[in-house]
Amino acid sequence: MIDFGFSISKSSHIQMDNVDLKLFNKLEALNPDISTCMACGLCTATCSAGNFTDASFRKIILMLQRGKDKEALEKVKKCMMCGKCILVCSRGINTRNILLSITRIYNEEDK
Amino acid sequence: MRPTFDPFVIPFVAGMTFVLVYCIIGLIRIIFQLPKEDRRKFGRSLINPKSAWKNFKDLCSDCLFHVKIWKRKPLLGYMHSSIAFGWFMIIVIGHFETIAFSPLKDMQLPFFQKLTSNLYMPIFFRFFSEEASTLSAHIYAFLMDFFLMVIISGIVIAVVKKKKPRKVGLKRVTKFGFTEDMVRISLWTIFPIRFLAEASMANIGGGSFLTKFIGFDLLFGGHYNETLSYILWWAYSIDLAIFMTLLPFSRYMHIPAEALLILLRNAGLKTTEPRKGYAVAEIYSCPSCGLCIDVCPMSEVKENYRNTAVYFIRNIRRGRRRRDVKHKTEICLMCGKCIEVCPLGIESLDIKMAQRKKYYYKVKSNFSYLERLQDYKTTGQQAQSSPLDAHNSKILYFAGCMSHLTPKITLAMTKIFEQANENYEFIDKDGSICCGRPMMLTGKVDEAKALIEKNTEMIKNSGAKRLILSCPICYRVFKEEYNLEGIEILHHTQYINELIENEKISVDRSDKRYVYHDPCELGRAFGVYEEPRNIIDNIGLLTQGKSDKDLAVCCGGSIGSLAMTKEERDDITKNSIKDLTLNHPEEIVTACPLCLKTFARLSPIKVKDIAEIVEENLEINEELGIRN
Ligand code: SF4
Ligand code: SF4
Ligand code: SF4
Ligand code: SF4
């Protein structure tokens, strides 16, 4: 193949039929407010950990919803629990508690 | 000759034996559950004369006279001390009276019989004794009657309290189940029945103004009815037996537990496990007085009063309902108000913290990215020594992550530093590593340590001798958990107050009306009450809210709560604002970025940090321009 110096980026298509959402459903049952997130990103903008890393609550939720648990947990681990995201969330989501629930429900070894 | 034994004493003796055995076993269990080091400390404090004297003093003032309740609610104080002290005196005087006049006194009895009869004799003395006409007998009888009267007056208040809590200054009282009701009724009836029993035969057993004149002469019309009297004595004994048998399963367990708690506390022990050792002594010491219900910000929302400390303690004590315990542990704001009013000084927050530490989280934090932040320190504003004052030793400003949400605070602080001509370094200008307290509060102590270590390293490397913080949450953890020897830690309220007092900055005074909100972590945790008030006095008029200082209401935003929903928080915030704006201030002033952010969303009037109002009213010294 001729190298044009660029290529088609890898598809980020996710086959939702293959995604096991058991844990996410459990998380959602415990924290019903999670479903009201509209991915506005205010939480990400204020995040103390996000200041130094790629941690982002918004992305964590998106990733978990799409079965990308491993990547999500990598971000969760960086959270400092400072609670700033609760203060700014436009939907009044108890983000910090959801993060705690995630560390309780998900298990990295399973992945 | 009166008899020396009657079958009616059996229920009492059985109940008494049961309660004694129960308490002794409980005591041994608690002592063995203590960590080894604590047990040694406890042993040492019992024999050390200084702490022994303190033990004695505290036992008297807390168990007998309930001095703390007197201070908060005099009527309740009277109720408690009249029953506790009265009962105590009746037991003590009763024993002396028995020693002096007991019919058993001169008898030669086998040891065991002597022991058991000494157990019941003082309790039922009037039944077994014969009226004596010596002066000392009259004095004894008078004293016994007097204290009986004191107790009964206390019980009258108790009944009123139960029926009309508002009369004694309580909005809400704790709700109880069947056992508790039984025990309460048995306790309330013990002394009235005793009075009737003694009065019914005061012509034989003797008595004084209460039993003999009011009781026998007036109530019984001077007639002695043997059957009635005998029934009353049985009732008295059975009533005592019911009380004592149920005591360990009821809140009245606080009577023996409190004494132990005082001894353990004076030995300097703290809760380490939520259901073992010291915590058990605390849990059993809670008499469910309910003083913590009205003050708890959570009980502003009606259904949530069940989350207050007293119900949490009850859940832990019963050992079941793990889900309830978890919820109550995680919803509490950790504001500390319940502890402030608790007459027993029960540190329920320590129990909650110990409980939080128990919860297991499968995914562990990973802060390895902090290692890569070597340039963290240097990204902060480098200290520039000011031309005007080069001798100033360097001070460090750590705004904390919360303050970055409220840049008005950091801007105001920078301006104040400039005007005070300080040689300062704003160490976390480009974003802070969280202080670790929020992480601590989730119970993940080890993970918090990682944050603490990184910040400690950074602060120590700076070589500064003073550290100024803008966030009370940071202030608390810096004071309690950081090892920053040789560095003075100040919150900016303390620092600004010092600047004003030393005339390093000056402010203009207006007649603007302010109200000050005490942040929990600054006020109740460290008693920083006067500095902020002093600052406001220099700037404008300080008005009063409904409650302040140690009784200030949490803003509702506390990161201490994990499980509280936004709606529940908002209710607390609105209530807190309502309390603060009672006397129509123009602005609410606080000293915490979290309080500020929380209030600002819902307050009808402006909310500002204390640094902001200082900055607004600074007398600007033109020579000292704003740097950068
Ligand atoms: S609690 Fe965690 S996710 Fe939320 S702002 Fe703080 S570090 Fe970011
Ligand atoms: S701020 Fe709230 S609504 Fe917006 S992305 Fe974050 S969690 Fe979702
Ligand atoms: S700490 Fe505050 S919120 Fe928690 S129980 Fe006590 S008073 Fe209520
Ligand atoms: S915790 Fe303290 S204030 Fe609350 S009910 Fe128990 S003794 Fe009373």
Side-chain angles (χ1 to χ4, degrees):
Chain A
M1 230 202 336
I2 310 166
D3 181 6
F4 291 107
F6 55 86
S7 64
I8 300 168
S9 57
K10 232 178 86 200
S11 162
S12 53
H13 172 84
I14 295 168
Q15 188 62 31
M16 287 303 281
D17 291 342
N18 300 336
V19 173
D20 177 10
L21 287 180
K22 219 171 75 214
L23 292 179
F24 185 78
N25 292 337
K26 199 170 157 194
L27 181 69
E28 198 169 1
L30 278 175
N31 303 280
D33 50 348
I34 206 170
S35 56
T36 63
C37 172
M38 56 179 188
C40 68
L42 285 178
C43 50
T44 309
T46 51
C47 182
S48 298
N51 198 25
F52 308 113
T53 68
D54 60 354
S56 153
F57 183 77
R58 173 185 64 92
K59 278 198 185 160
I60 290 170
I61 300 307
L62 284 177
M63 284 173 163
L64 291 178
Q65 275 171 335
R66 285 155 182 65
K68 298 177 118 189
D69 297 0
K70 201 162 177 204
E71 292 90 327
L73 291 189
E74 275 316 307
K75 294 190 193 303
V76 171
K77 285 195 235 166
K78 292 168 184 160
C79 166
M80 307 196 228
M81 284 290 145
C82 68
K84 274 154 81 179
C85 43
I86 310 178
L87 285 173
V88 295
C89 177
S90 45
R91 304 311 290 268
I93 299 172
N94 193 352
T95 51
R96 183 159 164 257
N97 205 35
I98 293 174
L99 285 159
L100 273 178
S101 294
I102 295 173
T103 59
R104 218 174 251 168
I105 293 170
Y106 286 83
N107 195 344
E108 6 180 16
E109 270 82 67
D110 293 352
K111 299 291 147 190
Chain B
M1 186 70 198
R2 303 287 309 157
T4 56
F5 174 79
D6 194 283
F8 76 72
V9 305
I10 294 173
F12 164 76
V13 173
M16 189 71 207
T17 318
F18 171 74
V19 88
L20 279 178
V21 171
Y22 189 97
C23 288
I24 291 169
I25 293 177
L27 174 71
I28 294 173
R29 273 191 59 189
I30 291 179
I31 304 270
F32 272 92
Q33 283 169 350
L34 290 175
K36 223 180 188 158
E37 182 47 36
D38 280 2
R39 217 174 316 156
R40 254 188 243 130
K41 250 187 177 166
F42 179 48
R44 274 199 299 266
S45 93
L46 287 183
I47 44 179
N48 176 330
K50 218 169 112 194
S51 53
W53 169 240
K54 187 164 171 17
N55 282 341
F56 175 73
K57 256 189 354 207
D58 289 356
L59 284 174
C60 289
S61 77
D62 293 352
C63 295
L64 291 180
F65 299 115
H66 295 87
V67 176
K68 283 187 205 135
I69 312 183
W70 273 99
K71 280 186 197 150
R72 292 246 177 231
K73 307 244 145 100
L75 207 54
L76 279 188
Y78 177 75
M79 176 187 114
H80 281 87
S81 38
S82 62
I83 298 178
F85 182 62
W87 200 344
F88 177 76
M89 289 313 281
I90 283 211
I91 294 173
V92 172
I93 301 173
H95 275 82
F96 280 117
E97 192 181 22
T98 314
I99 293 169
F101 299 102
S102 167
L104 298 169
K105 184 168 56 155
D106 310 315
M107 276 186 230
Q108 290 299 319
L109 287 173
F111 175 73
F112 184 71
Q113 207 180 335
K114 193 130 194 163
L115 191 77
T116 45
S117 52
N118 275 335
L119 200 61
Y120 64 76
M121 190 54 79
I123 314 294
F124 305 103
F125 183 71
R126 292 271 178 272
F127 181 84
F128 297 109
S129 73
E130 239 167 306
E131 188 170 14
S133 52
T134 57
L135 177 64
S136 63
H138 279 302
I139 293 176
Y140 273 121
F142 172 79
L143 286 176
M144 292 298 274
D145 268 17
F146 175 76
F147 284 109
L148 187 60
M149 186 187 72
V150 169
I151 298 180
I152 291 176
S153 70
I155 289 171
V156 170
I157 301 178
V159 177
V160 173
K161 170 188 171 220
K162 181 75 193 166
K163 300 278 172 258
K164 299 230 157 52
R166 276 172 199 276
K167 282 233 159 78
V168 290
L170 293 174
K171 240 187 359 210
R172 234 169 268 144
V173 288
T174 333
K175 294 204 169 66
F176 295 110
F178 178 72
T179 324
E180 297 280 359
D181 283 343
M182 282 282 290
V183 190
R184 178 168 42 81
I185 292 169
S186 66
L187 173 66
W188 282 358
T189 43
I190 288 174
F191 289 95
I193 296 181
R194 177 184 172 128
F195 161 68
L196 290 178
E198 288 188 350
S200 71
M201 52 181 294
N203 58 331
I204 303 170
S208 186
F209 68 99
L210 187 67
T211 41
K212 195 155 186 187
F213 301 122
I214 301 183
F216 186 74
D217 290 347
L218 293 177
L219 210 60
F220 289 94
H223 296 295
Y224 168 53
N225 181 334
E226 195 174 345
T227 336
L228 177 67
S229 171
Y230 195 55
I231 291 174
L232 283 170
W233 283 108
W234 264 99
Y236 176 45
S237 172
I238 291 173
D239 202 6
L240 276 169
I242 294 175
F243 177 69
M244 296 200 175
T245 320
L246 294 181
L247 179 120
F249 314 105
S250 74
R251 63 203 151 109
Y252 294 102
M253 193 60 192
H254 77 268
I255 301 168
E258 187 184 354
L260 176 65
L261 179 65
I262 290 174
L263 301 184
L264 291 174
R265 185 187 300 141
N266 284 350
L269 306 194
K270 285 232 173 298
T271 295
T272 47
E273 284 276 333
R275 289 162 197 264
K276 284 189 190 150
Y278 189 76
V280 179
E282 287 201 310
I283 290 162
Y284 280 91
S285 295
C286 169
S288 299
C289 68
L291 288 182
C292 54
I293 301 179
D294 283 347
V295 298
C296 177
M298 288 191 283
S299 57
E300 291 297 348
V301 185
K302 208 146 182 241
E303 336 50 277
N304 277 352
Y305 74 93
R306 286 226 170 238
N307 292 329
T308 52
V310 51
Y311 291 103
F312 164 76
I313 290 174
R314 194 187 284 182
N315 277 161
I316 284 253
R317 175 171 174 181
R318 304 227 170 121
R320 281 168 273 132
R321 305 224 193 158
R322 296 175 64 175
R323 197 182 275 265
D324 282 1
V325 170
K326 181 166 180 289
H327 183 67
K328 289 180 182 130
T329 307
E330 297 195 333
I331 201 169
C332 167
L333 295 158
M334 306 298 245
C335 71
K337 215 174 153 191
C338 48
I339 295 178
E340 207 61 48
V341 297
C342 179
L344 285 114
I346 295 173
E347 297 277 348
S348 52
L349 293 192
D350 285 355
I351 305 178
K352 284 175 188 162
M353 273 316 298
Q355 186 69 36
R356 286 183 182 189
K357 284 180 200 161
K358 287 258 150 193
Y359 295 132
Y360 181 67
Y361 297 96
K362 290 185 243 176
V363 180
K364 303 280 178 235
S365 300
N366 180 351
F367 294 126
S368 54
Y369 63 90
L370 295 180
E371 299 303 318
R372 281 179 270 119
L373 292 179
Q374 263 106 17
D375 54 347
Y376 179 65
K377 185 174 105 57
T378 48
T379 57
Q381 183 192 7
Q382 278 301 307
Q384 308 163 3
S385 40
S386 131
L388 277 177
D389 190 342
H391 328 286
N392 261 352
S393 63
K394 192 167 78 169
I395 61 170
L396 215 55
Y397 177 50
F398 183 88
C401 62
M402 274 299 168
S403 309
H404 286 290
L405 264 185
T406 51
K408 283 190 285 183
I409 298 181
T410 52
L411 280 176
M413 282 308 292
T414 350
K415 197 159 167 199
I416 292 167
F417 285 130
E418 303 293 347
Q419 283 299 314
N421 198 14
E422 289 276 24
N423 176 12
Y424 77 104
E425 183 181 344
F426 187 170
I427 199 165
D428 58 342
K429 194 178 185 198
D430 296 329
S432 9
I433 298 171
C434 178
C435 62
R437 171 123 179 110
M439 185 64 98
M440 284 246 152
L441 284 165
T442 66
K444 300 179 174 187
V445 175
D446 291 337
E447 286 154 279
K449 287 267 151 56
L451 301 172
I452 293 178
E453 262 167 39
K454 187 70 195 173
N455 277 326
T456 308
E457 180 194 310
M458 180 186 91
I459 290 163
K460 284 211 158 149
N461 285 345
S462 76
K465 288 283 164 261
R466 294 192 108 187
L467 176 64
I468 316 295
L469 305 168
S470 271
C471 177
I473 305 168
C474 298
Y475 184 70
R476 175 146 191 190
V477 72
F478 272 81
K479 282 271 192 188
E480 287 178 353
E481 304 288 336
Y482 281 58
N483 181 11
L484 292 172
E485 243 169 74
I487 301 179
E488 189 188 5
I489 303 166
L490 291 170
H491 183 261
H492 70 234
T493 42
Q494 297 165 313
Y495 171 72
I496 295 174
N497 185 43
E498 187 193 284
L499 290 182
I500 294 180
E501 285 190 343
N502 295 344
E503 297 178 354
K504 289 190 86 174
I505 56 172
S506 40
V507 282
D508 293 324
R509 199 157 191 284
S510 69
D511 50 8
K512 203 169 201 171
R513 295 161 58 83
Y514 298 101
V515 66
Y516 179 69
H517 166 76
D518 287 286
C520 307
E521 306 277 48
L522 200 59
R524 268 186 292 273
F526 292 100
V528 180
Y529 297 127
E530 294 316 319
E531 292 90 335
R533 289 180 168 75
N534 208 1
I535 298 174
I536 296 178
D537 276 340
N538 277 294
I539 293 177
L541 295 172
L542 182 62
T543 63
Q544 283 283 316
K546 191 168 155 203
S547 45
D548 63 351
K549 299 192 178 170
D550 55 343
L551 291 181
V553 190
C554 172
C555 67
S558 168
I559 37 129
S561 172
L562 308 177
M564 194 174 279
T565 63
K566 190 75 170 176
E567 292 72 33
E568 290 168 316
R569 285 186 189 271
D570 283 357
D571 284 329
I572 295 175
T573 310
K574 283 179 204 152
N575 246 303
S576 192
I577 293 175
K578 204 174 85 201
D579 285 1
L580 283 168
T581 48
L582 187 72
N583 289 319
H584 313 292
E586 288 166 68
E587 285 175 6
I588 298 175
V589 180
T590 181
C592 168
L594 178 56
C595 299
L596 175 66
K597 191 88 188 158
T598 311
F599 281 143
R601 250 178 3 97
L602 295 170
S603 169
I605 58 173
K606 269 224 162 344
V607 187
K608 287 183 181 158
D609 189 88
I610 195 143
E612 274 179 74
I613 62 162
V614 171
E615 186 256 353
E616 282 168 8
N617 296 288
L618 266 182
E619 277 175 18
I620 303 290
N621 181 345
E622 294 300 340
E623 274 173 60
L624 302 164
I626 301 294
R627 260 185 260 151
N628 67 46

